[in-house]
Amino acid sequence: MTPTPPRRIPCTVLLCALSTLAGCAVGPDYQRPAVAAPAQYKELSAWKVAEPSDEAPRGNWWEIYGDAQLNALVAQVEVANQNVAAAAAQYRQARAVVAAARAAWFPVIATDFTLSRGQGTVGTSATAASNAVIVGAPIRNTARLSLDASWEADVWGRIGRGVESDTAAAQASAADLQAALLSAQAALVQAYIELRINDAQQRLLDETVVAYQRSLQITRHRYAAGVAARLDVAQAETQLKATEAQAIDLGVQRGQLEHAIALLMGRAPADFALPPTDTLPLLPQIPVGLPSALLERRPDVAAAERRAAAANAQIGVAQAAFFPALTFSASGGYQTSSLSQLLTLPNRFWSLGPALALTLFDAGARSARKEQAMAAYDQSVAGYRQAVLTAFQDVEDNLVALRILAEEAVVQREAAQFAAESLRLTDNQYRSGTVSYLNVVITQAAALATQRNSLDITGRRLLASAALQKALGGDWRAAETTEQETSLMASHRIREGL
């Protein structure tokens, strides 16, 4: 009876079995680190949320200030800001690293064609040359055409964990890009607000200078008529010149703010000018989300969380080094001494087989690398939790600033009204001769100070609102950006000139 030949296992069955093994990745599966998120903001009880919620910022958050010129300036940040461009390039690098890591899942195929001419050699003793030409050996021509392939089966998940780590790092880089963009946009909004407050201060001082010039003229007439003393004229001139100096000094800050805006738009300061306007950006009502929503909106928090995921996957990569690596290699081709007969059946050669490699002793190097990976993960978790705490602090800081500044603005407005009334009364008393001009100077200085303080508080409220919007993450959503979304985002950046 003829024995039954052994059955061959189809290659597809073997590959499926290896794929099943490859799903058993070593190392811990990632879980988002727990953080202590408060139920509500400390300052939220005193914060008036806009009703209805249609005023909640959507899309371009800076549009809540109702300033068309500001909208046009901020739109250029995404296109031309060089810090954003650098972050976009870094994100493209991270995506390329992911693509390179994924390539390790597939076989490497290479081809080689060589032509050589030489004479045979033979080994000699250790004291002689390592190789010596055989005397009288024939000179041979060799032609070789080969195709080589190798593939590592990811049995223990080393490659998969590496891809997981690089993917999380790329998502962190995408969040870094959004953080850089948000930071540049917020910086431009704040610089623009300061510049417009500067313009308002300039208008106030210019109007005050005109009023002081009239007061000086009246005082000179009174001095010429013998009603006022020369001291009154000197005090009026001093008041006028001091105010003119303050008006001139504002030009320094305005120029620097204008330069800062140009830089944020990626332009040279010499090529940019922003004319003054008579209006200020609107003071918005910004509804504040729940604390848990902050973890999903802030790009810096999302980046820190993704870095923790990347570090966790590196533990699996380090742990996989303790297991053997299974590699399949194949080689085939043609080799002959006659180039014209190279592609003939008798000159064919091939080889096929697996290789199993395992490090038996490395003096603790693998254990040290695993310990390093675990420590790096602990560090990234601490960084993530610190980023969360910092995010909550940023929101609370600006909430308390807005609350207190709103109360201060009410009192300051009343102070400005009383100062204006006091100035009117004092001016009438001086003209009737019942008080000296020193009283007028004092009340004028007080009235100007209250008006400037009112503008300063308005500016601080606007700046705090912009800082709060940045602290809330702007209009950024997606705590976990998918590869498709990040790809679309990156391609959009490239199309816009990044």
Side-chain angles (χ1 to χ4, degrees), residues 242-253:
T243 306
E244 288 178 344
Q246 294 178 41
I248 294 172
D249 186 69
L250 285 176
V252 176
Q253 184 191 32

Side-chain angles (χ1 to χ4, degrees), residues 121-134:
T121 59
V122 65
T124 61
S125 63
T127 57
S130 60
N131 291 291
V133 178
I134 301 176

